[in-house]
């Protein structure tokens, strides 16, 4: 394999490659830093942390055979395509969070911009043709997107968990361990006596992390090794199975230890390290078996010659464009920090006990469930709709809550479309920043002589293992003005009523909210109350 000294010496000869390896993580400093939290998780997402490092290793390896021939490239085409990918990455980082709110972060769409930027830089510096040599590194870098692995957890996890629990039952019987399977939970093994224990084989014990971890680490190594495609594929699949079987060994060891030394020692001391140790042993064992699969583990230089071109006007333009783009993207990462506290370790939704939990109790306010609404003809079977009221004399807020498994129906029957359907005049539409990455739509409308405001936003919730798409709408009109409280900092206007409002108006086709005197109290009142709801809900998530 490539030694440490050789890549360092090689990068000194290729400063452009070193620039790409440094600039890309700088442009996504926050997105990459959040992956560190996944490293200690017991899920397949833990191994995503190694993807950028192995992608860099692949880029170095493939770059050693890169043929640089500027005479055969088209600078205009390179800048056009590379610049287009950068513009697309700007859209992912700056516009999509505004449009999708928590859907954006829970699906970790920010990570999709990383391979886009890496590909753009490669094209800007080395031309479109270089992608034919470097594509394995760029494609592998796309695996940093966690959402596909989240889907794998969702669909394969229950099956693998059932297999693991079945193996646990076999171990209990084969070794005559003093465990019985709980009658109400086939995944829980319980024992009584001096070493009482309760061992639960959940999805984190299914072995899916070891299986996918082996694949994620093994793929870039195979690309740099020498051997037939069939031999490499056989080694990868065999290793994935061996890694998964190592998890069964872990389950057997944990059950034996729990029966002898109790649950506390087994779970607190042994469990955190045992899985890692067994995975490493399985991986090392597969490395020692590469010769049996007729695979050579040295990393030959890919075919091609290297000729470093002297700096030209085009290369200077490429560097300038790249530096500006990286600076803009790095600045855009600051806005993503508002999503702190959310994660996507399971399905891309926030787990709650009930749909109504999205409307928290607020200090000083009384929440009342006014009445349910039968809207299943609009939002489908399984949907629920309620009207709530928050009261804090002399203040009052009406809240409409709709939850449905079908996200598209919330768009079809949006408050904006309903206002238009009922013949109301739309005065302005803008986006309000409610904090923690939640962006709400603020509609100023007029029904005859009555001025009305509607502020609504969406949240994906996980209730009883079922994803529910929830819309919260706050309603107020000018007839409620006498009960408005004195404006307080908590009810201050949102800073999102500026540039984001202008962008939102261009996307909706309506004028931005006009801050007309008739809405001077309605807008800050609803936005301020919405911020209170979101703040309290996120606080509850962090404390549960």
């Amino acid at each position: 394999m490539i030694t440490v000294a050789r890549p360092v010496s090689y990068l000194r000869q290729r400063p452009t490659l070193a620039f790409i390896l440094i600039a890309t993580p700088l442009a996504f400093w926050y997105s990459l830093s959040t992956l560190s939290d996944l490293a200690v998780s017991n899920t397949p997402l833990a191994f995503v942390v190694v993807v950028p490092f192995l992608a860099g290793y692949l880029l170095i390896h493939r770059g050693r055979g890169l043929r640089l021939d500027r005479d055969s490239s088209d600078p205009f085409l390179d800048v056009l395509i590379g610049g287009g990918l950068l513009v697309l990455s700007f859209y992912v980082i700056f516009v999509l969070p505004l449009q999708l709110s928590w859907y954006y972060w829970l699906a970790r769409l920010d990570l999709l911009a990383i391979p886009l930027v890496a590909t753009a830089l490669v094209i800007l510096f080395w031309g479109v043709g270089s992608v034919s040599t470097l594509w394995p590194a760029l494609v592998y870098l796309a695996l940093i997107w966690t959402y596909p692995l989240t889907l794998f957890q969702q669909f394969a996890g229950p099956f693998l968990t059932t297999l693991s629990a079945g193996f646990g039952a076999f171990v209990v019987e084969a070794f005559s361990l003093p465990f019985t399977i709980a009658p109400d939970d086939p995944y829980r093994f319980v024992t009584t006596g001096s070493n009482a224990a309760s061992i639960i084989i959940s999805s984190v014990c299914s072995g899916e992390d070891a299986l996918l971890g082996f694949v994620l680490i093994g793929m870039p190594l195979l690309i740099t090794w020498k051997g037939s495609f069939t031999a490499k594929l056989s080694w990868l699949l065999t290793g994935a199975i061996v890694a998964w079987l190592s998890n069964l060994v872990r389950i057997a060891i944990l059950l034996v230890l729990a029966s002898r030394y109790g649950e506390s020692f087994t779970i607190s001391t042994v469990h955190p390290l045992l899985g890692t140790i067994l995975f490493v042993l399985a991986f090392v064992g597969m490395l020692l078996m590469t010769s049996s699969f007729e695979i050579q583990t040295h990393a030959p230089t890919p075919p091609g010659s290297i000729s470093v071109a002297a700096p030209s006007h085009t290369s200077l333009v490429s560097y300038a464009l790249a530096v500006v783009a990286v600076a803009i993207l790095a600045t855009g990462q600051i806005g993503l920090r508002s999503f702190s506290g959310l994660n996507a370790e399971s399905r891309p939704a926030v787990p709650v006990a009930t749909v109504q939990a999205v409307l928290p109790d607020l200090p000083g306010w009384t929440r009342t469930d006014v009445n349910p609404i039968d809207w299943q003809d609009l939002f489908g079977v399984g949907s629920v709709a309620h009207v709530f009221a928050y009261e804090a004399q002399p203040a009052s807020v009406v809240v409409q809550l709709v939850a449905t498994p079908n996200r598209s129906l919330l768009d079809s029957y949006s408050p904006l479309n309903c206002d238009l359907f009922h013949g109301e005049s739309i005065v302005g539409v803008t986006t309000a920043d409610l904090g923690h990455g939640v962006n709400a739509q603020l509609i100023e409308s007029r029904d005859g002589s009555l001025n009305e405001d509607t502020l609504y936003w969406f949240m994906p919730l996980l209730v009883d293992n079922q994803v529910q798409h929830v819309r919260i709408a706050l309603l107020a009109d000018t007839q409620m003005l006498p009960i408005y409280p004195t404006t307080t900092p908590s009810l201050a206007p949102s800073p999102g009523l500026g540039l984001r409002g202008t962008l939102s108006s261009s996307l909706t086709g309506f004028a931005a909210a006009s801050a007309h005197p008739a809405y001077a109290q309605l807008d800050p009142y609803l936005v301020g109350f919405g911020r209170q709801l979101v703040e309290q809900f996120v606080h509850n998530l962090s404390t549960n």
Side-chain angles (χ1 to χ4, degrees):
M1 295 185 184
I2 300 177
T3 62
V4 174
R6 290 177 64 185
V8 172
S9 175
Y10 168 67
L11 288 177
R12 289 174 180 172
Q13 300 174 13
R14 300 293 293 274
T16 301
L17 179 57
F19 175 85
I20 294 175
L21 293 175
I22 296 173
T24 303
L26 283 179
F28 298 97
W29 57 271
Y30 181 73
S31 293
L32 292 174
S33 68
T34 59
L35 295 181
S36 61
D37 296 333
L38 298 177
V40 295
S41 65
N42 239 343
T43 71
L45 304 184
F47 289 93
V48 172
V49 178
V50 305
V51 168
F53 298 99
L54 293 178
Y57 163 71
L58 270 180
L59 193 63
I60 294 174
H61 170 74
R62 302 292 295 189
R64 296 170 67 217
L66 183 64
R67 184 185 300 275
L68 297 180
D69 186 3
R70 275 294 180 185
D71 294 334
S72 63
S73 66
D74 184 343
F76 176 78
L77 183 63
D78 297 341
V79 173
L80 181 64
I81 296 179
L85 291 176
L86 289 177
V87 171
L88 183 58
S89 68
F90 294 158
Y91 177 82
V92 172
I93 296 300
F94 291 98
V95 179
L96 279 185
L98 172 64
Q99 295 178 322
L100 302 180
S101 293
W102 281 10
Y103 287 90
Y104 173 87
W105 188 254
L106 292 173
R108 290 311 305 264
L109 297 179
D110 61 308
L111 299 175
L112 279 177
I114 298 179
L116 288 177
V117 171
T119 304
L121 295 180
V122 164
I123 292 175
L124 286 176
F125 292 125
W126 297 321
V128 176
S130 64
V131 177
S132 62
T133 299
L134 301 176
W135 69 266
L138 300 174
V139 171
Y140 179 77
L141 183 58
L143 295 178
I144 198 172
W145 186 31
T146 57
Y147 185 63
L149 296 183
T150 301
L151 292 180
F152 178 85
Q153 288 179 273
Q154 176 182 342
F155 294 107
F159 173 72
L160 295 177
T161 302
T162 300
L163 289 181
S164 300
F167 177 78
F170 169 77
V171 170
V172 167
E173 182 177 354
F175 291 91
S176 300
L177 300 179
F179 280 101
T180 58
I181 300 177
D184 59 337
D185 187 353
Y187 303 104
R188 185 160 64 96
F189 296 78
V190 295
T191 183
T192 57
S194 58
N195 293 321
S198 176
I199 304 298
I200 299 176
I201 299 180
S202 60
S203 59
V204 298
C205 305
S206 65
E208 56 186 353
D209 55 335
L211 189 154
L212 277 182
F214 187 92
V215 173
L216 284 177
I217 297 176
M219 280 196 300
L221 298 180
L222 287 175
I223 292 174
T224 63
W225 292 347
K226 186 176 182 180
S228 66
F229 174 80
T230 303
K232 291 181 178 181
L233 182 61
S234 299
W235 182 87
L236 188 66
L237 294 179
T238 301
I241 294 174
V242 170
W244 183 74
L245 292 176
S246 73
N247 181 71
L248 298 185
V249 175
R250 177 176 69 156
I251 291 175
I253 294 175
L254 291 177
L255 287 172
V256 171
L257 291 178
S259 66
R260 296 185 179 183
Y261 302 105
E263 178 182 354
S264 178
F265 169 77
T266 303
I267 301 301
S268 302
T269 305
V270 180
H271 183 268
L273 296 177
L274 184 59
T276 301
I277 294 173
L278 291 175
F279 176 81
V280 171
L281 290 177
F283 200 91
V284 171
M286 289 303 302
L287 289 178
L288 297 176
M289 293 179 59
T290 51
S291 59
S292 302
F293 289 85
E294 299 182 352
I295 296 175
Q296 299 178 23
T297 57
H298 67 281
T301 302
S305 61
I306 299 174
S307 59
V308 181
S312 63
H313 176 71
T314 302
S315 63
L316 293 178
V317 171
S318 299
Y319 267 106
L321 184 59
V323 169
V324 172
V326 168
I328 293 174
L329 289 168
T331 303
Q333 292 283 293
I334 298 175
L336 299 183
R337 296 173 64 184
S338 61
F339 291 106
S340 60
L342 296 179
N343 64 72
E345 292 186 15
S346 56
R347 299 192 194 183
V350 178
V352 294
T354 64
V355 169
Q356 287 77 8
V358 76
L359 296 180
D361 293 328
L362 296 179
W365 293 79
T366 300
R367 189 189 70 182
T368 304
D369 188 347
V370 178
N371 62 274
I373 311 174
D374 185 9
W375 275 350
Q376 290 198 356
D377 58 327
L378 299 179
F379 298 103
V381 178
S383 65
V384 294
H386 286 262
V387 173
F388 293 86
Y390 279 86
E391 295 180 344
Q393 295 300 328
S396 176
V397 177
V398 176
V399 182
Q400 184 191 88
L401 174 67
V402 179
T404 175
N406 192 334
R407 173 68 171 82
S408 62
L409 292 176
L410 292 177
D411 294 323
S412 299
Y413 300 100
S414 67
L416 179 61
N417 291 337
C418 289
D419 286 348
L420 293 172
F421 176 79
H422 291 290
E424 298 183 15
S425 300
I426 305 300
V427 176
V429 178
T430 191
T431 296
D433 180 4
L434 302 186
H436 298 284
V438 177
N439 295 297
Q441 199 84 345
L442 178 63
I443 304 172
E444 295 176 344
S445 61
R446 184 171 293 114
D447 185 7
S449 60
L450 186 64
N451 294 322
E452 300 176 333
D453 254 9
T454 302
L455 181 75
Y456 69 96
W457 65 95
F458 304 95
M459 286 183 173
L461 302 182
L462 187 65
V463 185
D464 293 332
N465 209 34
Q466 171 72 43
V467 175
Q468 290 280 353
H469 305 278
V470 178
R471 185 182 73 206
I472 302 102
L474 310 184
L475 310 173
D477 57 52
T478 49
Q479 290 183 347
M480 299 170 61
L481 287 177
I483 64 173
Y484 275 31
T486 304
T487 301
T488 64
S490 63
L491 294 176
S494 165
L497 296 178
L499 179 60
R500 289 191 170 191
T502 303
L503 176 59
S504 174
S505 65
S506 64
L507 296 175
T508 60
F510 292 97
S514 59
H516 188 277
Y519 299 92
Q521 289 181 296
L522 287 172
D523 289 354
Y525 181 73
L526 282 187
V527 171
F529 187 80
R531 292 176 69 87
Q532 290 187 71
L533 284 180
V534 172
E535 176 66 34
Q536 187 63 47
F537 179 60
V538 173
H539 174 74
N540 293 346
L541 287 177
S542 62
T543 56
N544 290 339

